[in-house]
Amino acid sequence: MATHSLSSLPFAVFTSHSHPSKRHLSLPLTSLYGNRLLLQPSTPFVIKHHSSVTTATVSLSLPTAKPDRTPSEKSPKWSSRSIKSFAMAELEARKLKYPNTGTEALLMGILVEGTSQAAKFLRANGITLFKVREETVNLLGKSDMYFFSPEHPPLTEQAQRALDWAVDEKLKSGESGEITTTYLLLGIWSEKESAGHKILATLGFDDEKAKELEKYLNEDIVMNYK
């Protein structure tokens, strides 16, 4: 019975009827010659892992157009869900290849994050990520397929005002705690001429629903996803 031992090129071929010989073969790995094919690497592979230390800084604030707020106003921090919603908004803007992060992207970001009271309220009222994305393309159109968005698409003026509205309203409330995604959603709604507001209105959101949502201003966590 002939046995063939295959190593890395050149191959060493051994049979029970002849002495070892070396040949240069160019055979597909799926080709089988003889009764048994043994694959043995001629040299061992050594994989070296280089450990490194990565330091990440997580910011608890979002961009603002009002950096001159008086020191007496202790600026509240954004909730982790708001921060993640903002990050997802930037990603959604990049997916659509838009040059800026607008109110429509902020709205999609809230839905992508998905675990906040604001996101739950939107879904309960039939406002889903798929619908918002579809309305965004209908309203703003598709970007050039060869255009590449920046890593962090800058905010539009309307999106920036929506963020600042959320901070201002939190300060006015006098309530302690973080700025939730509900503030962010109502900030989008406050920008009447923005794409985000128009998309919400198209999908059935109105002032009455905004008032209903206000009772969740200081709640930002939903344990179940519906």
Side-chain angles (χ1 to χ4, degrees):
M1 180 183 295
T3 300
H4 297 273
S5 177
L6 178 62
S7 65
S8 62
L9 292 177
F11 295 125
V13 180
F14 300 93
T15 69
S16 58
H17 305 292
S18 63
H19 295 290
S21 62
K22 289 184 178 288
R23 299 176 188 173
H24 288 271
L25 300 177
S26 178
L27 300 175
L29 292 179
T30 55
S31 299
L32 299 178
Y33 292 86
N35 296 346
R36 187 170 51 167
L37 183 65
L38 302 177
L39 300 180
Q40 297 177 339
S42 59
T43 56
F45 289 90
V46 179
I47 301 176
K48 295 182 179 179
H49 297 279
H50 299 281
S51 61
S52 60
V53 177
T54 303
T55 302
T57 302
V58 179
S59 174
L60 296 179
S61 62
L62 294 180
T64 178
K66 298 181 178 180
D68 55 344
R69 284 191 176 96
T70 60
S72 60
E73 293 180 320
K74 186 178 180 181
S75 186
K77 302 298 182 185
W78 288 89
S79 71
S80 60
R81 284 172 175 77
S82 297
I83 298 288
K84 186 176 179 181
S85 295
F86 180 81
M88 293 300 100
E90 289 186 328
L91 183 60
E92 288 301 307
R94 292 181 66 192
K95 283 181 181 178
L96 292 172
K97 296 190 174 185
Y98 287 167
N100 298 94
T101 301
T103 52
E104 73 290 337
L106 293 177
L107 180 57
M108 286 187 280
I110 292 172
L111 287 163
V112 172
E113 192 282 326
T115 65
S116 66
Q117 277 286 3
K120 180 183 178 182
F121 186 88
L122 289 172
R123 291 194 301 271
N125 285 276
I127 301 174
T128 64
L129 175 61
F130 177 81
K131 290 179 180 179
V132 171
R133 191 178 285 142
E134 187 177 44
E135 289 299 326
T136 296
V137 174
N138 290 339
L139 183 64
L140 302 179
K142 293 183 178 180
S143 183
D144 189 318
M145 65 178 295
Y146 297 107
F147 176 79
F148 291 94
S149 300
E151 184 177 358
H152 299 288
L155 288 166
T156 62
E157 290 185 10
Q158 292 167 326
Q160 183 62 75
R161 287 198 298 268
L163 293 182
D164 287 328
W165 182 95
V167 176
D168 290 340
E169 289 301 307
K170 181 65 177 179
L171 289 169
K172 287 178 188 176
S173 73
E175 297 282 345
S176 59
E178 299 171 318
I179 309 171
T180 65
T181 48
T182 301
Y183 278 102
L184 178 57
L185 178 55
L186 291 175
I188 296 169
W189 183 247
S190 72
E191 286 295 313
K192 304 297 184 184
E193 298 302 317
S194 70
H197 180 99
K198 291 175 182 177
I199 290 167
L200 282 169
T202 299
L203 295 176
F205 195 90
D206 54 24
D207 288 334
E208 185 178 338
K209 285 186 171 60
K211 274 191 174 300
E212 185 182 348
L213 185 60
E214 286 178 4
K215 64 185 176 184
Y216 301 116
L217 276 172
N218 296 303
E219 298 178 26
D220 205 26
I221 182 170
V222 180
M223 299 307 295
N224 61 323
Y225 185 97
K226 291 184 180 179

